[in-house]
Amino acid sequence: MPPTPDLSPADGLAKLAGYPFQVVTWVDDAGYPVSAAVGASIDVADGVATFAAPAGLDVPADREISLTGSHIRPQPGYGYDERRHVTVWGRASAAPDGRITLTAADAWGWDEQETPFFEYSERSIGQSRKYFDALSAERGTPVRPKLSLPFLALRATRLPFLTATIVPVVVGIAIAASHGRFDLVTAALTVIGAAFVQLGLNVANDVFDTTQGADDANVTPTQFSGGSRVIQYGLVSLRSMAAISAVCYLAAAAIGLVLLAIAPSVELLVIGVVGIVVSLGYTAPPLRFVYRGLGEVSVALGFGPLMLLGAYVVQTHGALAWEPFVASVPIALLVALILYVNEIPDRRGDARVGKRTLPVRFPPTVIITGYRVAAALAFAVVIVGVVAGWLPIPVLLVLLTIPLALQVSRGLAPNYDNPYGLMAVMGVNIKLHLYAGVLLFAAYLIVLVLGAVAPSVPVFVSLIR
């Protein structure tokens, strides 16, 4: 049976009393389960349940029997409402009036109002592992859960989150192109190399969070938080995940060396080395930035200035400029806010293993205010950058994503303690970063297009800069 918060026999009987009827179950002499509906009278103080013997059946007194109460009601187009059940085990004896008395010895149950279904499922992982281990021992061959290779690769590497890398890299390349510097080969290699860095980071996070107990302690993972769970579900071994991460980092390093050979510069070397250190240090000892409450800083640095400036430097062969740095700041803030919000549903599990993220350290009011300040700062940088002449006027397109930031801001408070209600908010928050990045890229495409037709509209082109 899946583990749930412990129920004492008295608690089990108390919950059982809330059902209009129960099902009595036992195993007959031939080894088959026998069940029948009964209406039991519950006496919590005496620890017993009494019911009339089912017609035509003899309830045995020489073995364990159980009484179960349950509620599950289908809702067309929705699912089910308020699923709950409780089972009480014990021995039966005949009462003086001919009724049957069960003396409660153990109890187990689940109430969806107390424990959401997804959390309930996560709490069953330990029992599931024991089941597969026992089945493997019985058959003499390993028996494990399976997932098709494409879906397994997608899940293990968290491939959809590559937008965090692609956005700053393509923007950095676009800014370099607007400055008259673009090479297709090195641009493609930069995107691929940066993607390998993030894939290595994603997998390494699962490895180190597992070895440090964070993912095992988290019983409320969501679509966007809590890791890939492939190790916890027995889909991929810890050793295999470590090997995948190492291969990704080696591939990234190899591509980095190729880029250095094509476009040698000290600036690119420094950015590459710092990027690898920040990436590995995110969860890996001894740095463990996210465990020290510095996860947002490292993510902002890695997926903001380092990625964007790195892509720019490859195209310019080492030349730096203020424009790509300023453009990286709103991207950095918005990607850090993805982690920031995604840490909220993980905070209880994180706290249990000493992972001192910001949502672990601070109360909800501070965290929600922090989100609003950081989001406002991201848009303020865009406005100030354009007014100061550091960024072209089309970059103001990024301001079109302000309604998404407001939607996330409004959704945090009512869903703060509801991990599964927060999933929709986290999804919008990811869209905020993606759409802002796409609009920033589009702004530089506009600059490039207008630059290409500059002879015919020189005045307008000069105005956007």
Side-chain angles (χ1 to χ4, degrees), residues 6-19 22 42 44 48-49 67-69 85-89 102 104 106-109:
D6 291 338
L7 279 179
S8 67
D11 289 339
L13 286 172
K15 288 181 176 290
L16 196 61
Y19 296 91
Q22 298 78 27
I42 309 295
V44 177
V48 299
L67 282 176
T68 298
H85 59 84
V86 62
T87 299
V88 176
W89 288 270
L102 179 146
D106 200 2
W108 165 68

Side-chain angles (χ1 to χ4, degrees), residues 176-401:
S178 74
H179 294 176
R181 306 294 293 272
F182 176 75
D183 176 75
L184 181 60
V185 173
T186 55
L189 286 174
T190 302
V191 172
I192 296 170
F196 273 121
V197 171
Q198 186 183 345
L199 294 178
L201 168 64
N202 290 348
V203 179
N205 286 349
D206 280 354
V207 171
F208 290 112
D209 276 343
T210 296
T211 57
Q212 295 171 89
D215 281 349
D216 288 331
N218 188 348
V219 293
T220 56
T222 69
Q223 180 181 358
F224 306 110
S225 63
S228 71
R229 314 297 290 178
V230 296
I231 298 174
Q232 283 66 39
Y233 298 162
L235 294 167
V236 184
S237 70
L238 180 66
R239 178 175 294 183
S240 296
M241 288 290 278
I244 292 170
S245 178
V247 168
C248 289
Y249 276 121
L250 287 173
I255 292 174
L257 292 174
V258 171
L259 289 174
L260 275 171
I262 296 174
S265 71
V266 174
E267 292 82 1
L268 179 58
L269 177 61
V270 171
I271 289 173
V273 171
V274 173
I276 293 293
V277 170
V278 170
S279 175
L280 279 172
Y282 179 72
T283 51
L287 297 177
R288 302 198 314 161
F289 293 128
V290 71
Y291 283 77
R292 305 176 192 276
L294 298 173
E296 285 77 7
V297 175
S298 60
V299 164
L301 179 63
F303 291 98
L306 289 177
M307 285 285 188
L308 200 151
L309 280 174
Y312 180 86
V313 163
V314 169
Q315 296 300 309
T316 61
H317 290 216
L320 291 171
W322 279 109
E323 184 176 351
F325 175 77
V326 175
S328 75
V329 174
I331 295 300
L333 289 169
L334 294 180
V335 76
L337 287 179
I338 293 177
L339 171 67
Y340 187 72
V341 173
N342 288 4
E343 287 172 340
I344 293 174
D346 296 344
R347 67 189 188 281
R348 292 186 179 87
D350 288 344
R352 283 195 289 271
V353 297
K355 192 175 183 180
R356 302 286 291 166
T357 63
L358 296 182
V360 169
R361 292 171 180 262
F362 299 106
T365 52
V366 173
I367 296 301
I368 294 170
T369 300
Y371 180 89
R372 292 168 179 166
V373 170
L377 183 59
F379 295 115
V381 169
V382 169
I383 295 171
V384 171
V386 171
V387 172
W390 299 326
L391 302 174
I393 291 175
V395 169
L396 292 175
L397 286 172
V398 173
L399 301 182
L400 293 175
T401 61

Side-chain angles (χ1 to χ4, degrees), residues 435-455:
Y435 293 174
V438 168
L439 289 172
L440 187 58
F441 179 69
Y444 279 98
L445 287 183
I446 292 172
V447 172
L448 284 167
V449 170
L450 291 178
V453 297

